[in-house]
Amino acid sequence: MATQYEVEHNVEFAAPRRTTRRVDMASFFSLLNQLDDSSSAGAQQHHNPHATPTPVDTAALFRLLQDQLQTLHTTAPTADNRDFLERLITSLEDDIHDPPSTLRGVSQEFVDSIDRVNRKKLASDDDCAICKIPYLEDEWCLVVELPCKGRHRFDLECVGPWLRSKGTCPMCREEMGKKKEIPIVEDDEEDDGDMMYA
């Protein structure tokens, strides 16, 4: 039904495209920026090179992420999504009760460099395992494919906080951000001597 403004001005506003299940992670990122001394903002805030996050601060960060996942869990559209979110929530419980001395998450630079998935390569029923919203429902979807063996895909907005705090793929738990080891191939000089050149 048109609003009074739309009737009076003979305009029609577009209806909202969808109800979002994504959560507001502003508090999470605010605390993360305070704790992460590898970022340029964090490096400027800490004048003491020995300043490290306290266990209380680190536990609070994991609690913020857990609370947001719990919010998604309460409105999970499928049993599979509910089970997946429960596993993520449970794994954060260990970090809350026994917080690590340093964050194991990846850097923002790593998150920014993750391969983006072209919209044309997405099927209409492809959705994010975390929020379960079909990617193509979002006009400006930003889908990433993690460099894990499963090549799992997520909305960047959903997987970013997990990667920054935990540093693993939420699905297979493979560690992200480690430099790939390049195998060293040794040249066999003896073989070169046996070769004839024409």
Side-chain angles (χ1 to χ4, degrees), residues 94-163:
D94 294 337
D95 290 318
I96 292 168
H97 292 299
D98 186 21
S101 57
T102 60
L103 292 175
R104 295 181 301 254
V106 299
S107 67
Q108 185 61 46
E109 290 77 20
F110 177 84
V111 173
D112 293 341
S113 71
I114 298 173
D115 291 337
R116 279 20 179 200
V117 179
N118 189 315
R119 185 179 181 86
K120 294 176 184 175
K121 294 183 178 181
L122 298 171
S124 61
D125 60 343
D126 288 345
D127 61 12
C128 176
I130 297 173
C131 70
K132 292 307 283 183
I133 296 174
Y135 298 127
L136 295 178
E137 280 190 16
D138 186 348
E139 189 175 350
W140 296 284
C141 64
L142 184 53
V143 181
V144 294
E145 185 174 272
L146 299 185
C148 58
K149 291 180 181 131
R151 308 298 293 172
H152 295 117
R153 294 177 176 181
F154 300 92
D155 284 314
L156 180 60
E157 186 178 353
C158 291
V159 77
W162 181 271
L163 291 173

Side-chain angles (χ1 to χ4, degrees), residues 29-30 34 57 59 70-71 82 89 91 93 130 150 163 167 184 193:
F29 283 111
S30 176
Q34 293 173 13
D57 293 333
Q70 187 66 42
T71 300
R82 192 174 304 106
I89 290 165
S91 73
E93 199 67 37
I130 297 173
L163 291 173
I184 299 173

Side-chain angles (χ1 to χ4, degrees), residues 28-98:
F28 171 86
F29 283 111
S30 176
L31 180 56
L32 178 66
N33 288 337
Q34 293 173 13
L35 300 180
D36 184 16
D37 58 357
S38 66
S39 69
S40 58
Q44 292 172 357
Q45 290 174 356
H46 297 295
H47 298 292
N48 180 353
H50 303 290
T52 58
T54 66
V56 172
D57 293 333
T58 308
L61 183 75
F62 289 116
R63 175 64 71 193
L64 284 170
L65 180 56
Q66 187 185 49
D67 289 346
Q68 298 307 326
L69 291 173
Q70 187 66 42
T71 300
L72 289 174
H73 179 267
T74 59
T75 60
T78 66
D80 288 341
N81 181 242
R82 192 174 304 106
D83 292 342
F84 175 64
L85 292 171
E86 281 177 16
R87 288 192 305 272
L88 296 182
I89 290 165
T90 302
S91 73
L92 289 167
E93 199 67 37
D94 294 337
D95 290 318
I96 292 168
H97 292 299
D98 186 21

